[in-house]
Amino acid sequence: MLTALSIRDVVLIESLDLEFGSGLSVLTGETGAGKSILLDALGLALGVRADSALVRTGQPQALVSASFDVAAHHPARRLLQDNGLDGETGEPLVIRRIVRADGGSRAFVNDQPASVALVRDLGSVLVEIHGQHDDRGLLNPRGHRALLDEFGRTETSETEKWFAAWRAAEAQLAEAREALDLAARDREWLEHAVAELRQLDPQPGEEDALAKARANMQKGARLADDIAVVNGLLDGPEAGLAQLRQAARKLERIADQHERLTEALEALDRAIAEASEGEDRLREAAEALAYDPQRLEETETRLFEVRALARKHRIEPEALPALAEELVAKLAALDAGTEGLADLERQAIQARQAYAEAA
């Protein structure tokens, strides 16, 4: 039942709020009093085509809000539920329509944005507008089934439920068939791609690790001679560190003869310690940068294979393991698709039979 109608800036109406009680309400007036404007405003709230001519002159937009008291099992409730807009039980259903002067419009149901098509569907089950040419509505096939059901006093909820279930099962079956047909066309490619990925067996983070290892070995190849020269200057009987140690041993025998000699010995000890640490770090660097030409070649070959396969599938190298899992799953789904399709076909048949019995 329509309980309230609020109108803002529609044609001649600046602001109007109407409330309707239970029973019959009658609006009367002479020709030109505005009765048709009220119907036009209500029509906007019920989803009729927006017309910028309805916006009051000089105003940016017109607004109409209609409030309805709707029972829990009213068809409008099912429409709201199907579109995720159902409100609290017992709360009024409020439809709001805004029409801009430039012709654009927006619709809201229970203060949530909604399509005009939904508002029109709601209007068709909430309000009946009768005029002098009502008999023409009998020619509209959309109303024939409802008229027949009402004439026969037929309860249709069970039939509607099973019809919806049958249509949903048929849609799911059609979607599965389409997906299976598409996958079947791609089977040869899937099998080849899966075999290629399995043969390469890319690992998470492998491309980054290979690139770092390759870069280190390439550095090692460039720096090997320099590291050997520096190591030769530090190590060996005639090297700098050996000379420092020999000087410290000799100075140690006479350091107690003068304080400056003691200080000199301490300085030499510090230099030896620092030089020894430098020698250790040099050794560690040599080990980290050490390379085997064959291992470098193997690392580069593996790195290039990983990157080439990633380019082939137009993804980043780190995404290859996930792609392998995805394609394996698709291939498995294709293999199991026939059995799954048979289950969906059985469900569709059962739903069709249940609908036929209910009908």
Side-chain angles (χ1 to χ4, degrees), residues 291-304:
Y291 80 101
D292 177 358
Q294 182 178 353
R295 190 163 69 90
L296 175 59
E297 182 179 355
E298 293 172 352
T299 300
E300 288 183 332
T301 300
R302 175 71 179 180
L303 178 62
F304 296 155

Side-chain angles (χ1 to χ4, degrees), residues 300-322:
E300 288 183 332
T301 300
R302 175 71 179 180
L303 178 62
F304 296 155
E305 288 175 348
V306 169
R307 288 177 173 174
L309 190 57
R311 284 195 302 272
K312 180 177 180 179
H313 291 283
R314 298 180 181 179
I315 59 175
E316 294 298 323
E318 57 265 25
L320 283 173

Side-chain angles (χ1 to χ4, degrees), residues 145 157-169 351 354-356 358:
R145 184 168 54 233
S157 60
E158 189 72 10
T159 308
E160 291 175 1
K161 181 186 75 173
W162 283 113
F163 180 76
W166 172 44
R167 292 295 295 272
Y355 160 69

Side-chain angles (χ1 to χ4, degrees), residues 52-208:
S52 60
L54 294 174
V55 181
R56 194 163 69 94
T57 302
Q59 299 304 311
Q61 64 181 31
L63 183 148
V64 180
S65 179
S67 180
F68 298 88
D69 182 14
V70 180
H73 300 293
H74 193 280
R77 290 292 182 192
R78 185 159 57 248
L79 278 171
L80 293 175
Q81 290 172 358
D82 292 343
N83 289 273
L85 296 172
D86 196 19
E88 295 291 333
T89 303
E91 292 292 322
L93 167 59
V94 179
I95 301 176
R96 181 159 52 94
R97 185 87 178 276
I98 297 173
V99 180
R100 298 192 302 273
D102 62 6
S105 73
R106 290 183 298 163
F108 300 85
V109 176
N110 291 338
D111 285 329
Q112 300 179 65
S115 66
V116 176
L118 173 59
V119 170
R120 191 179 302 117
D121 290 340
L122 286 170
S124 67
V125 297
L126 287 170
V127 174
E128 293 182 16
I129 297 179
H130 297 276
Q132 62 200 58
H133 301 295
D134 273 1
D135 55 329
R136 294 180 182 175
L138 296 174
L139 301 178
N140 185 354
R142 294 185 62 183
H144 292 174
R145 184 168 54 233
L147 287 171
L148 183 61
D149 289 338
E150 289 184 14
F151 180 77
R153 295 185 174 88
T154 303
E155 172 56 47
T156 62
S157 60
E158 189 72 10
T159 308
E160 291 175 1
K161 181 186 75 173
W162 283 113
F163 180 76
W166 172 44
R167 292 295 295 272
E170 288 286 353
Q172 189 176 6
L173 177 59
E175 184 178 348
R177 281 173 175 163
E178 183 179 357
L180 192 62
D181 289 343
L182 180 61
R185 291 195 295 271
D186 294 338
R187 174 184 282 277
E188 184 177 351
W189 178 85
L190 275 172
E191 290 176 342
H192 173 74
V194 167
E196 197 172 34
L197 284 163
R198 281 175 172 167
Q199 181 179 1
L200 186 63
D201 191 24
Q203 300 300 312
E206 183 180 15
E207 192 260 353
D208 186 53

